[in-house]
């Protein structure tokens, strides 16, 4: 049994095993509920090191890896958690939950194109400080008002600007990480000479570099072939991003690892200078039979962002307009504060209200954003796209010409999942096929087959669709009664059918939401036994005692996952 008082003697931060706390930390934004043993709020890196050493001592003598599926997970473990917005069950476990949002929330320093920051900083607090310096971390998520930067690293997150700028791994230059030996190390770009020095170190760090360099070098062909062809991916360990033949950076391996290899204590992000001007083209689709062709055509115009949400999301935005107006007011800045401006924001919803009243609500809304140095430049791009899609596909379009109108559509897109979670009664949001992606050019053939699969369940589940159209990345969120056993039984069956289709088209089962409890059991289906064996080797190299976040990435246990689906 875990000795809470003993942990309290080891660290300066708080340790909590109250009933209220354990209930809170047993859930995230996923379909799961897993009760932890306790929650620790480490105060600094020394606390993190002490906590790891404590757990390591409890698990001696070391077991012999590799661990079998479901094996050794019953022992003590540490799972990092930030904001709890994860949709895969990534921060849920039966051991110790380490919450980094209490104390690890400092911005440590700014450079001309970078920031050094702690993992518990909320993106919403960081972004305005960066923009004031003319800098942006462009891999932010749709839930950017809720998530932390540490969660972005853990999941290899992406969002509306990832079409142009890519995922989080591209912006992580350096990480400080506490490894399983209880020491903190810095992982960053290493040139050949620097790598050779690391390989000679007579300690745990040197052992890791030697084993990882050998693993990547000896299996380079297999690793390169395993890399998904999609523009986004957060499934498995990103082995293909560690070494390009010139630079070797193990920080890339920790991005998307969901805390299974060590605990991140500091991050150095590369930042960009965003373009100052933008224009938004909104496309209203009455039916989606030719969605694949429309998407392929829009992508050719190279928008910076290309997003979507469906009719149910729009209806909820109109229905719960007061809450949306509050979010728009906060998101747009102080110039939209005040009663008069709130009224002007409300007027922005008149077209949607009229569509709802007249029964003309579109099935899907697509939004494509163009950015540039001048308004004339972006207006020209937007107008060109509008003329083409109107002429070719005969769909209704709109170019947003005011900041309030632009803000309206982005707020609805960013808040789509939150709207469902907060306002649907009797059914729960059930993200389990929520993050599939294929190459955009595959969509004309892929989407009809996907709809055929989903239509088989239309009498049993209702679902919403949103996503990043330019990346071929769809978020399909069913609404289900998870207390109903027959509804829960749909989850593995539909997952198999959808993932088989996705992989047949060369896609990924998770573009940005990661594996967690819900998708780790399907990684072998995606990558095959040989690559999964490499993933297990990586886990054993960094975490031979299986201290960090078991059952994620490797050690898949579908039975455990299904048994821990929440029912209320």
């Amino acid at each position: 049994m875990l000795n809470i008082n003993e942990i309290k003697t080891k660290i300066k931060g708080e340790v909590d095993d109250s009933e209220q706390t354990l209930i809170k930390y047993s859930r995230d934004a996923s379909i799961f509920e897993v009760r932890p043993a306790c929650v620790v709020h480490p105060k600094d890196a020394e606390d993190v090191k002490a906590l790891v050493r404590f757990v390591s001592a409890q698990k001696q003598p070391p077991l012999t890896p590799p661990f079998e599926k479901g094996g050794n997970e019953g022992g003590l473990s540490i799972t990092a958690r930030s904001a709890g917005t994860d949709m895969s069950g990534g921060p849920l476990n039966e051991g110790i939950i380490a919450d980094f949002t209490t104390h690890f929330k400092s911005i440590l320093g700014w450079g001309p194109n970078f920031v050094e920051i702690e993992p518990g900083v909320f993106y919403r607090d960081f972004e305005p400080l960066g923009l004031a310096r003319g800098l942006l971390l462009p891999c932010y998520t749709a839930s950017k008002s809720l998530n932390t930067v540490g969660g972005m690293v853990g999941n290899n997150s992406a969002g509306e600007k990832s079409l142009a700028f890519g995922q989080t791994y591209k912006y992580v230059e350096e990480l400080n990480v506490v490894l399983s030996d209880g020491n903190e190390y810095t992982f960053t770009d290493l040139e050949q000479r620097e790598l050779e020095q690391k390989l000679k170190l007579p300690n745990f760090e040197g052992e890791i570099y030697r084993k990882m360099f050998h693993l990547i070098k000896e299996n380079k062909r297999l690793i390169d072939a395993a890399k998904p062809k999609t523009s986004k991916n957060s499934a498995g360990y990103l082995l293909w991003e560690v070494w390009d033949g010139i630079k070797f950076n193990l920080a890339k391996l920790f991005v998307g690892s969901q805390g299974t290899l060590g605990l991140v204590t500091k991050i150095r992000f590369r930042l960009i200078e965003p373009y100052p001007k933008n224009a938004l083209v909104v496309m209203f689709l009455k039916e989606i039979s030719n969605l694949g062709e429309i998407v392929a055509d829009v992508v050719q115009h190279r928008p910076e962002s290309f997003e979507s949400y469906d009719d149910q999301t729009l209806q909820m935005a109109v229905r719960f307009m007061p809450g949306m107006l509050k979010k728009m007011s906060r998101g747009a800045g102080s110039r939209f504060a005040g009663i008069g401006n709130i009224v002007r924001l409300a007027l922005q919803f008149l077209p949607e209200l009229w569509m709802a009243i007249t029964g003309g609500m579109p099935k899907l809304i697509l939004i494509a954003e163009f950015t540039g140095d001048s308004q004339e430049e972006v207006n020209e791009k937007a107008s060109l796209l509008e003329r083409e899609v109107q002429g070719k596909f005969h769909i209704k379009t709109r170019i947003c010409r005011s900041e309030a109108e632009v803000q309206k559509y982005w707020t609805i897109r960013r808040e789509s999942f939150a709207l469902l979670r907060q306002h649907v009664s009797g059914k729960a949001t059930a993200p389990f096929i929520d993050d599939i992606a294929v190459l955009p050019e595959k969509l004309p053939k892929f989407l009809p087959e996907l709809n055929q699969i989903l239509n088989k369940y239309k009498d049993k589940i209702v679902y919403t669709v949103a996503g990043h159209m330019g990346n071929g990345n769809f978020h399909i969120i069913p609404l289900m009664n998870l207390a109903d056993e027959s509804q829960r039984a749909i989850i593995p069956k539909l997952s198999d059918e959808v993932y088989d289709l996705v992989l047949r088209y060369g896609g990924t089962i998770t573009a940005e939401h990661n594996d967690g409890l819900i998708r780790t059991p399907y990684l072998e289906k995606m990558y095959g036994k040989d690559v999964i064996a490499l993933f297990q080797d990586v886990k054993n190299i960094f975490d031979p005692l299986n201290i960090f976040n078991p059952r994620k990435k490797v050690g898949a246990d579908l039975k455990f996952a299904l048994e821990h689906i929440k029912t209320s």
Side-chain angles (χ1 to χ4, degrees):
M1 184 175 178
L2 181 63
N3 189 332
I4 301 296
N5 290 328
E6 187 175 356
I7 298 177
K8 291 179 179 179
T9 67
K10 305 288 185 184
I11 69 170
K12 303 180 290 295
E14 301 79 25
V15 182
D16 190 349
D17 66 344
S18 66
E19 183 67 14
Q20 183 179 7
T21 294
L22 298 185
I23 291 172
K24 174 184 175 181
Y25 285 83
S26 68
R27 293 190 176 192
D28 57 3
S30 73
I31 62 175
F32 299 109
E33 183 173 23
V34 182
R35 185 182 176 91
C38 74
V39 177
V40 174
H41 303 266
K43 196 161 189 178
D44 52 26
E46 292 303 313
D47 266 7
V48 177
K49 291 191 284 186
L51 185 62
V52 171
R53 288 168 184 165
F54 169 79
V55 173
S56 178
Q58 307 303 305
K59 300 191 78 164
Q60 298 290 348
L63 301 179
T64 303
F67 306 113
E68 296 179 358
K69 287 184 178 181
N72 195 37
E73 279 82 357
L76 195 55
S77 65
I78 308 171
T79 296
R81 179 177 174 123
S82 290
T85 59
D86 187 277
M87 296 168 70
S88 73
L92 305 183
N93 238 313
E94 296 173 312
I96 298 170
I97 304 299
D99 185 339
F100 282 82
T101 62
T102 307
H103 299 294
F104 281 79
K105 52 185 183 181
S106 296
I107 297 177
L108 303 172
W110 297 89
N113 64 345
F114 70 86
V115 66
E116 292 189 346
I117 192 169
E118 291 183 325
V121 175
F122 283 86
Y123 185 87
R124 64 174 180 257
D125 298 327
F126 158 74
E127 184 183 68
L129 298 176
L131 290 176
R133 293 168 169 81
L135 298 171
L136 178 71
L137 181 62
C139 50
Y140 61 79
T141 69
S143 60
K144 68 176 186 172
S145 64
L146 302 173
N147 67 262
T148 69
V149 297
M152 292 170 64
V153 172
N155 275 347
N156 190 27
S157 294
E160 64 201 44
K161 290 191 177 294
S162 297
L163 176 61
F165 295 105
Q167 286 183 267
T168 299
Y169 79 89
K170 290 180 177 287
Y171 300 92
V172 174
E173 294 186 333
E174 184 174 294
L175 293 175
N176 281 24
V177 187
V178 174
L179 298 184
S180 59
D181 66 341
N183 292 314
E184 185 181 36
Y185 300 95
T186 300
F187 296 105
T188 190
D189 273 341
L190 300 178
E191 303 285 356
Q192 182 66 33
R193 180 180 58 81
E194 296 168 309
L195 175 59
E196 289 173 357
Q197 291 174 350
K198 292 287 188 184
L199 295 172
K200 294 175 183 177
L201 292 174
N203 56 12
F204 186 54
E205 183 183 17
E207 179 183 341
I208 281 176
Y209 273 102
R210 287 187 291 274
K211 289 181 177 179
M212 284 304 305
F213 181 73
H214 176 78
L215 183 149
I216 292 172
K217 183 179 180 181
E218 294 301 312
N219 297 280
K220 193 171 190 317
R221 184 173 297 180
L222 174 62
I223 290 170
D224 289 346
K227 181 179 181 179
K229 303 299 187 292
T230 50
S231 59
K232 294 195 297 186
N233 173 64
S234 63
Y237 290 122
L238 307 184
L239 282 167
W240 37 84
E241 303 297 344
V242 174
W243 187 40
D244 61 4
I246 300 173
K247 292 182 179 180
F248 191 90
N249 191 346
L250 287 173
K252 304 296 185 182
L253 189 64
F254 284 89
V255 181
S257 68
Q258 291 195 305
T260 58
L261 306 179
L263 301 177
V264 174
T265 55
K266 187 173 78 170
I267 307 159
R268 176 171 166 147
F269 285 117
R270 176 175 66 87
L271 306 175
I272 67 160
E273 296 180 14
Y275 288 110
K277 303 298 181 180
N278 72 304
L280 197 69
V281 182
V282 186
M283 292 155 273
F284 304 91
L285 277 61
K286 289 285 189 176
E287 50 89 25
I288 60 173
S289 60
N290 62 344
L291 176 61
E293 298 174 62
I294 296 171
V295 169
D297 198 76
V298 174
V299 168
Q300 296 300 313
H301 288 258
R302 302 179 67 84
E304 185 174 282
S305 304
F306 184 22
E307 302 288 295
S308 72
Y309 50 88
D310 67 359
D311 52 348
Q312 291 203 58
T313 304
L314 182 56
Q315 288 170 15
M316 293 187 72
V318 173
R319 181 181 174 189
F320 301 106
M321 187 166 50
M324 295 297 296
L325 293 176
K326 288 181 182 179
K327 291 181 181 295
M328 289 168 65
S329 176
R330 290 196 300 267
S334 59
R335 59 192 172 281
F336 288 118
I339 297 299
N341 285 313
I342 290 292
V343 171
R344 282 194 286 275
L345 282 174
L347 293 176
Q348 296 293 334
F349 276 90
L350 286 178
E352 285 71 28
L353 283 169
W354 180 247
M355 281 191 289
I357 291 169
T358 60
M361 191 70 76
K363 182 67 177 173
L364 195 68
I365 294 89
L366 306 181
I367 51 178
E369 183 176 52
F370 296 93
T371 62
D373 290 317
S374 72
Q375 197 63 49
E376 182 181 15
E377 173 193 356
V378 295
N379 286 345
E380 183 178 346
K381 292 178 181 178
S383 297
L384 180 61
L385 173 61
E386 183 181 49
R387 288 195 300 272
E388 183 163 325
V389 296
Q390 283 180 344
K392 192 171 182 179
F393 301 107
H394 308 291
I395 57 178
K396 184 178 179 181
T397 63
R398 184 180 195 145
I399 297 179
C400 295
R401 304 191 184 280
S402 72
E403 186 173 352
E405 193 174 20
V406 169
Q407 184 72 15
K408 174 184 70 175
Y409 287 108
W410 276 125
T411 301
I412 296 172
R413 168 63 188 94
R414 291 165 184 157
E415 297 296 327
S416 57
F417 183 62
L419 281 170
L420 291 170
R421 290 180 65 198
Q422 295 166 7
H423 297 295
V424 174
S425 60
K427 293 181 182 292
T429 52
F432 63 93
I433 49 169
D434 53 292
D435 193 35
I436 58 176
V438 298
L439 292 171
E441 55 263 34
K442 306 276 190 181
L443 290 177
K445 292 184 178 180
F446 170 79
L447 286 174
E449 293 189 51
L450 176 64
N451 287 328
Q452 286 178 10
I453 293 173
L454 295 173
N455 284 338
K456 291 191 298 183
Y457 297 87
K458 65 182 180 181
D459 296 331
K460 299 178 181 178
I461 61 173
V462 177
Y463 61 90
T464 64
V465 179
H468 313 285
M469 288 295 171
N471 298 106
N473 178 199
F474 292 86
H475 300 320
I476 304 169
I477 312 290
L479 303 175
M480 305 173 71
N481 177 9
L482 294 174
D484 184 338
E485 185 177 347
S486 65
Q487 291 263 295
R488 297 197 304 274
I490 293 172
I491 292 172
K493 180 175 172 57
L494 182 53
S495 295
D496 269 322
E497 292 183 63
V498 170
Y499 293 155
D500 283 344
L501 176 68
V502 169
L503 298 177
R504 183 152 53 83
Y505 276 89
T508 174
I509 63 176
T510 178
E512 59 188 23
H513 292 174
N514 218 279
D515 302 313
L517 288 171
I518 194 62
R519 277 179 288 271
T520 294
Y522 297 93
L523 285 177
E524 187 172 313
K525 182 192 288 280
M526 178 171 170
Y527 286 114
K529 291 183 181 295
D530 291 342
V531 175
I532 294 301
L534 292 183
F535 290 168
Q536 183 67 69
D537 288 342
V538 170
K539 175 69 170 176
N540 294 336
I541 289 169
F542 281 91
D543 187 19
L545 296 179
N546 206 17
I547 289 171
F548 299 120
N549 204 12
R551 295 191 182 92
K552 320 296 164 50
K553 296 294 179 179
V554 297
D557 191 339
L558 183 59
K559 181 174 181 290
F560 178 91
L562 296 177
E563 288 174 349
H564 284 81
I565 296 175
K566 62 189 178 187
T567 57
S568 63

